Amino acid sequence: MPSQNSSPPAEKAAKEPSRSRGLKRVSALLDGASAVFAETGYEAATMTQIAARAGASIGSLYQFFPTKEHVAAALHARHLDALAGMLDLLAEEMRGQPVDAAVDALFARFVDYLEDNPAFLAVGERRSLDPAVKKEARARLRSRIAALLGAVEPPIAEARVASLAAVTLHLIRVAALLRADDDEGVRAPAIAELRAMLKGHLAGQDG
């Protein structure tokens, strides 16, 4: 049996499930990993813990994911797909809507997602994450936010949409971290300040 921290040969990749039963097993394994990463963080999590949380044997886990890094990569990709889909739907819903409404909806849904899925930040900030993958992930989310900002009324200057999308993504991440603040009297007002800052800035842009 491979050790929990050993790396597989470079050519050995995560197994792709080909049948419905295999897909369900992989989904259950990723659900287990999500719970463990959320509780312990990526670095402290072990393959044994992930298998136990998923109600699977360690052999079943290694069958689909040779290392913990493979598990994290698959979970990261799953969350990115979910967030991208959510942002695509939101962009359609907010088309032609005022900037204030779009920002409120964006903050509410994105922050709620990050709060409900803390494992996403755990795997997205892991030290072993390939910088190129991290850059691509951020670009993917920024492009969706840019589409949303480009659909509001009055329109935001096209030349500034990309940079504003980058700022917005960082503000949302800060808001998600604030939601974990132990001081309940600070959390909501601080997040409201972030939203107000963004809405005020966007409202002052020339169309």
Side-chain angles (χ1 to χ4, degrees), residues 78-119:
R78 183 167 80 165
H79 280 302
L80 284 173
D81 287 344
L83 278 170
M86 180 195 75
L87 291 171
D88 286 341
L89 289 174
L90 185 59
E92 287 302 313
E93 291 176 19
M94 291 293 106
R95 187 169 299 281
Q97 296 298 311
V99 168
D100 283 8
V103 171
D104 283 338
L106 177 60
F107 261 73
R109 297 194 195 182
F110 213 129
V111 172
D112 282 349
Y113 185 91
L114 294 180
E115 184 180 51
D116 292 340
N117 300 277

Side-chain angles (χ1 to χ4, degrees), residues 10-112:
E11 69 274 9
K12 188 175 182 182
K15 178 181 177 181
E16 290 288 342
S18 57
R19 297 184 179 180
S20 175
R21 185 177 179 184
L23 291 171
K24 289 180 180 178
R25 288 173 65 192
V26 167
S27 181
L29 291 170
L30 291 179
D31 288 342
S34 184
V36 173
F37 290 149
E39 292 173 3
T40 70
Y42 173 77
E43 301 300 333
T46 68
M47 294 289 271
T48 299
Q49 290 172 326
I50 292 170
R53 183 58 65 90
S57 69
I58 191 70
S60 179
L61 177 59
Y62 279 118
Q63 177 186 5
F64 291 100
F65 302 106
T67 69
K68 185 173 68 172
E69 178 61 27
H70 286 101
V71 179
L75 186 60
H76 189 218
R78 183 167 80 165
H79 280 302
L80 284 173
D81 287 344
L83 278 170
M86 180 195 75
L87 291 171
D88 286 341
L89 289 174
L90 185 59
E92 287 302 313
E93 291 176 19
M94 291 293 106
R95 187 169 299 281
Q97 296 298 311
V99 168
D100 283 8
V103 171
D104 283 338
L106 177 60
F107 261 73
R109 297 194 195 182
F110 213 129
V111 172
D112 282 349

Side-chain angles (χ1 to χ4, degrees), residues 118-188:
F120 175 62
L121 289 180
V123 297
E125 297 298 327
R126 67 190 191 278
R127 293 196 297 268
S128 56
L129 178 59
D130 185 341
V133 173
K134 190 172 186 177
K135 181 178 180 181
E136 182 180 353
R138 288 177 175 171
R140 185 179 181 190
L141 295 179
R142 285 200 303 265
S143 70
R144 262 60 180 197
I145 295 174
L148 170 63
L149 296 179
V152 299
E153 290 292 341
I156 296 171
E158 184 176 353
R160 306 201 69 176
V161 167
S163 58
L164 288 172
V167 170
T168 300
L169 182 59
H170 281 291
L171 287 178
I172 290 172
R173 185 177 181 279
V174 171
L177 294 174
L178 282 169
R179 288 285 281 266
D181 195 296
D182 291 336
D183 190 341
E184 295 183 4
V186 168
R187 288 200 301 259

